[in-house]
Amino acid sequence: MNTDELFLRSDAALRDVIDRIDPADLTRSAPADWTSTPDPTFRDILQAHTYDEAWVPDVLRGRASADGDDLRGVDLLGDDPIGAYDARNDAATAAVRAGGYADTFRFSYGDYPAAEGLAHLATYRAFQAWQIAKHLGIPFHLSPELIAGLDEHVVTFADEWRQWGVFPPAIEAPADADDETRLLCAVGYWIP
């Protein structure tokens, strides 16, 4: 699977979960280690994902937040948080499908070749989809195709990324683990 497709599948997985969030759950407390926002709620998490989606078209063109960021600190959710996220998700999806990326993606943590940058964007989305679903009790599983893509483009680098604080320590997978559980254990996110 190429990283364009990995991004699109990961982004679709996250949208699938977000579209099933009960709006009443947006006021629930979210895990503090998901964000630097003090006392985060799931609305704060949704705001962060909406912000991230809003930046995708610019990232694909090689723009960095250092070039100017008129979205930071702005309420991107308004009165229809999930609808606002969906609109930004649509724009990000269209930008990836259009192709024609810059050779280098400029993230706040460094510059990366486009293919690797797409894998970074996909990683965040796929594992957040699973974590949000798990915490809010939304039935969800990563698709076999997405699992294969993450195995190929992410698990291969998990130990390196773990040194940078991207992933927690790996978890030993149960003997009868399925592919999804083995993937989640490899990146330290599995919760029984």
Side-chain angles (χ1 to χ4, degrees), residues 76-111:
L76 300 174
L77 302 179
D79 295 333
D80 182 11
I82 294 172
Y85 168 82
D86 286 350
R88 299 292 184 157
N89 178 274
D90 288 343
T93 297
V96 171
R97 287 191 173 136
Y101 319 132
D103 293 334
T104 303
F105 289 3
R106 299 169 56 210
F107 297 121
S108 60
Y109 54 88
D111 296 350

Side-chain angles (χ1 to χ4, degrees), residues 110-188:
D111 296 350
Y112 292 88
E116 188 175 346
L118 282 164
H120 290 201
L121 294 170
T123 299
Y124 176 52
R125 286 157 171 75
F127 295 121
Q128 271 281 281
W130 189 87
Q131 290 177 310
I132 291 168
K134 184 73 172 175
H135 279 272
L136 293 179
I138 298 168
F140 173 78
H141 288 285
L142 298 167
S143 72
E145 297 82 11
L146 184 50
I147 291 168
L150 291 166
D151 278 337
E152 177 183 356
H153 294 287
V154 177
V155 173
T156 305
F157 304 102
D159 287 333
E160 179 183 347
W161 292 5
R162 191 170 280 114
Q163 293 173 8
W164 303 334
V166 174
F167 296 125
I171 300 165
E172 186 170 339
D176 61 348
D178 59 16
D179 290 342
E180 181 182 61
T181 301
R182 279 193 290 280
L183 168 67
L184 294 165
C185 286
V187 297

Side-chain angles (χ1 to χ4, degrees), residues 51 55 58 63 65 67-74 76 88:
Y51 174 83
W55 261 100
D58 286 333
R63 186 168 177 247
S65 60
D67 298 330
D69 182 357
D70 56 351
L71 300 175
R72 174 98 29 218
V74 174
L76 300 174
R88 299 292 184 157

Side-chain angles (χ1 to χ4, degrees), residues 9-29:
R9 288 180 183 272
S10 294
D11 210 31
L14 181 59
R15 182 172 180 159
D16 175 52
V17 170
I18 287 174
D19 283 351
R20 292 188 288 146
I21 293 175
D22 182 330
D25 285 337
L26 293 175
T27 59
R28 286 180 53 183
S29 294

